[in-house]
Amino acid sequence: MADSAAGKAVAECTRPGADVSDSVAALKSLLTGSVPEGEERRSHHLVQLARRYGTTPFTTLREARRELGVTRPEFAELLRTFGAVPALREAVRQAPAGKYWTNTVLPLEARGVLDAALEGRPVYPSSVGLYPGPSCMFRCHFCVRVTGAKYEMSTLEGGNAMLASVIDEVPTDNPFAVYMSGGLEPLTNPAVGTLVARAAARGFKITMYTNSFALTEQTLNRQPGLWDLNGVRTSLYGLNDEEYEATTGKKGSFRRVKANLLRFMKLRTEQDRSVKLGLNYLILPGRARRLLDLVDYMEELSAVNPDRPLDFLNLRQDYSGRDDGQLSGSDRSELRDALAGFEEAVRDRLPTLDVDYGYALNSMRCGVEANLLRTTTEQMRPRAHPQVAVQLDLLGDVYLYREAGFPDLPGATRYIAGRVGPGRSLYQVVDEFVSERREVAPQSGDEYFLDGFDQVITARLNQLEDDLADGWGPARGFLR
Ligand code: SF4
């Protein structure tokens, strides 16, 4: 078999339904060319490793070796060989859980920030979330925010000056290092456009996560800096007035958000703005069948200018009510069918739409059972990972987890690393927290302060730590 054909066959070994014996045979032919004694057993083990890490990325090397039943020297040799065959690495990247590797783990490994977190070394946080919103006009039933809790308007002036100073401080080597979100709704801050313009002038490509209720033409006229955003990611809470109201508690919010988005699409064309517009849609229990209506909705937005259609969609499944992170059999088959119809409709009617299905839905599309990552209290890391990501609210409080940055949220202040303010930079806060080796002892329920990203980072750091403890220093983490 030619090397390129063999490489392709190997890279496909993690595809659901792939014929493993074909991949093993292809791998054998590759190994015979480059590594002596490329025998059947070893090829089998390597394919097994690719499949294991392609579906369960946070497996420890200890567990992987136990599963294969090989000695330490044999395992070390397998890891060395795995690293020498690019097609095997590609197989993991293309696997059902490959997005964990390609979207999150490998880029962070390349920047060395996970090592900094493991070693307890202070470095500038790789991701800085700015939470500029003093309030929110919605009350979504799944949102952790405390009803009525908000930041006083008197905090705005000082808070915006503080956020501006952080924007000026963040190193510019990663254009995606800063984003705006909440916490509460960013567009409730009347100076958020000025902050965006400031960040864009430093080269940052800012995405704003918003409910878009306030994304009106008046807001855009008052805050022209919003046009400097790289992306507007609108959380969509339903596809008609009833659904929206049931989720957000606000009457008429569906119509208003839709009108705002249509107007935004029109204005960005008229003014030739490069900002991308996308949606975030959570499939709530019992609403899988609504996915085709979502396609109609997106098509309607895109029809404003067929040359400049909607740019992206992030589709997620709501698991918040399921403690074990699992769907029932009937929910799963309904969702799988709905996804198939959705994909076909998107292919036909919105061919340029960039759809991100996230890990769980992506696995489901591939016909694989996805176990959603669920961090337990015991798995939380007392020193968290401020080298990887921090979030700042209007008070300058630096939160260690993304779902903790809400005012008056019980227990959340324990996850404040410190406060940025006049004469005190974000780096100083992080440096002090890390250098003093400060810890927050996790309490039951604290795991809800972690969003999906925090959970991935926690799982990865725990995995790396176990690999190190088991004596696999240079091979820690399997792929890096
Ligand atoms: S989820 Fe967002 S829009 Fe909904 S209440 Fe919470 S902060 Fe507001």
Side-chain angles (χ1 to χ4, degrees):
M1 192 185 286
D3 275 10
S4 61
K8 191 164 174 288
V10 172
E12 288 182 355
C13 73
T14 50
R15 263 223 335 251
D19 186 338
V20 175
S21 55
D22 282 355
S23 303
V24 170
L27 182 57
K28 257 170 56 186
S29 79
L30 275 184
L31 293 181
T32 311
S34 60
V35 184
E37 297 171 32
E39 80 286 355
E40 179 93 9
R41 181 168 176 265
R42 186 168 52 165
S43 299
H44 251 295
H45 283 156
L46 291 167
V47 166
Q48 261 178 282
L49 278 175
R51 290 170 69 87
R52 176 63 147 129
Y53 279 91
T55 49
T56 323
F58 305 108
T59 302
T60 60
L61 292 174
R62 190 192 303 264
E63 286 172 85
R65 183 169 84 84
R66 194 185 309 129
E67 259 177 33
L68 296 185
V70 294
T71 63
R72 282 185 77 91
E74 279 176 320
F75 193 56
E77 175 59 20
L78 282 172
L79 293 176
R80 199 192 63 71
T81 310
F82 199 101
V85 181
L88 284 169
R89 191 178 172 94
E90 196 46 37
V92 176
R93 293 167 60 96
Q94 289 179 15
K99 283 200 185 311
Y100 277 136
W101 292 104
T102 53
N103 291 4
T104 310
V105 171
L106 294 175
L108 288 171
E109 288 285 5
R111 288 204 284 277
V113 287
L114 294 171
D115 282 343
L118 272 187
E119 293 160 16
R121 238 184 319 118
V123 293
Y124 206 91
S126 180
S127 164
V128 178
L130 305 182
Y131 290 3
S135 60
C136 182
M137 57 294 278
F138 289 172
R139 183 64 197 92
C140 301
H141 61 70
F142 50 76
C143 180
V144 297
R145 88 180 175 88
V146 178
T147 305
K150 56 185 182 186
Y151 298 92
E152 295 302 327
M153 291 312 267
S154 57
T155 61
L156 274 178
E157 194 182 336
N160 286 334
M162 177 279 304
L163 292 174
S165 76
V166 171
I167 287 169
D168 293 348
E169 175 194 340
V170 180
T172 51
D173 53 342
N174 171 15
F176 297 99
V178 183
Y179 67 95
M180 292 200 182
S181 183
L184 304 175
E185 165 54 39
L187 287 175
T188 57
N189 184 325
V192 72
T194 312
L195 294 172
V196 170
R198 192 175 188 114
R202 295 201 69 225
F204 291 115
K205 294 180 180 300
I206 305 280
T207 292
M208 178 182 284
Y209 297 67
T210 169
N211 62 34
S212 287
F213 186 81
L215 192 69
T216 60
E217 189 167 358
Q218 293 88 320
T219 303
L220 290 162
N221 288 338
R222 265 200 312 268
Q223 301 208 56
L226 289 170
W227 288 117
D228 290 338
L229 284 166
N230 185 61
V232 173
R233 179 165 150 173
T234 297
S235 299
L236 205 64
Y237 294 120
L239 292 163
N240 58 36
D241 267 323
E242 295 73 47
E243 284 179 356
Y244 239 83
E245 194 180 333
T247 302
T248 68
K250 187 131 183 125
K251 269 195 190 331
S253 46
F254 169 74
R255 252 170 298 157
R256 172 152 164 176
V257 169
K258 187 173 176 186
N260 287 350
L261 296 181
L262 286 165
R263 189 83 192 131
F264 186 86
M265 297 284 276
K266 191 164 183 295
L267 289 172
R268 85 167 176 174
T269 298
E270 283 170 10
Q271 299 180 20
D272 194 21
R273 307 285 189 172
S274 60
V275 55
K276 298 187 187 77
L277 182 66
L279 303 176
N280 189 68
Y281 186 78
L282 193 66
I283 309 171
L284 294 174
R287 289 198 195 161
R289 293 216 176 84
R290 303 287 277 131
L291 281 175
L292 286 183
D293 300 316
L294 175 63
V295 179
D296 292 343
Y297 182 92
M298 294 190 293
E299 202 175 25
E300 222 180 311
L301 293 182
S302 299
V304 171
N305 179 359
D307 293 334
R308 200 66 215 287
L310 191 73
D311 297 280
F312 61 92
L313 170 72
N314 284 66
L315 202 58
R316 297 288 185 271
Q317 166 69 19
D318 176 43
Y319 286 87
S320 57
R322 302 177 176 89
D323 286 342
D324 60 356
Q326 298 283 357
L327 293 180
S328 72
S330 60
D331 278 355
R332 198 177 313 121
S333 63
E334 185 186 337
L335 186 53
R336 200 179 300 127
D337 292 349
L339 274 177
F342 171 81
E343 273 194 82
E344 197 184 320
V346 167
R347 246 192 328 269
D348 288 351
R349 294 155 59 190
L350 296 157
T352 60
L353 186 75
D354 181 5
V355 185
D356 178 342
Y357 290 91
Y359 168 54
L361 290 178
N362 198 43
S363 297
M364 193 175 285
R365 286 167 66 221
C366 300
V368 172
E369 192 57 44
N371 277 329
L372 212 62
L373 207 52
R374 288 257 150 183
T375 306
T376 62
T377 315
E378 294 68 36
Q379 289 165 339
M380 286 178 70
R381 302 175 59 80
R383 290 196 198 125
H385 45 252
Q387 297 91 337
V388 182
V390 291
Q391 298 64 227
L392 279 101
D393 71 359
L394 266 178
L395 302 175
D397 285 334
V398 178
Y399 284 89
L400 295 168
Y401 294 120
R402 291 185 169 180
E403 294 286 329
F406 289 85
D408 302 342
L409 190 60
T413 52
R414 293 169 42 250
Y415 289 95
I416 295 174
R419 181 173 282 190
V420 176
R424 194 164 163 72
S425 67
L426 173 59
Y427 184 72
Q428 283 172 304
V429 170
V430 171
D431 183 30
E432 204 172 287
F433 182 85
V434 174
S435 302
E436 290 178 0
R437 305 181 75 74
R438 278 167 42 200
E439 297 192 346
V440 184
Q443 294 176 4
S444 174
D446 286 357
E447 59 274 19
Y448 294 109
F449 295 138
L450 281 66
D451 79 342
F453 175 83
D454 290 320
Q455 298 199 42
V456 169
I457 302 305
T458 302
R460 177 65 174 176
L461 290 172
N462 287 342
Q463 172 193 36
L464 289 168
E465 209 159 68
D466 194 88
D467 290 351
L468 283 172
D470 198 31
W472 297 106
R476 66 186 181 279
F478 192 65
L479 288 192
R480 284 196 298 130

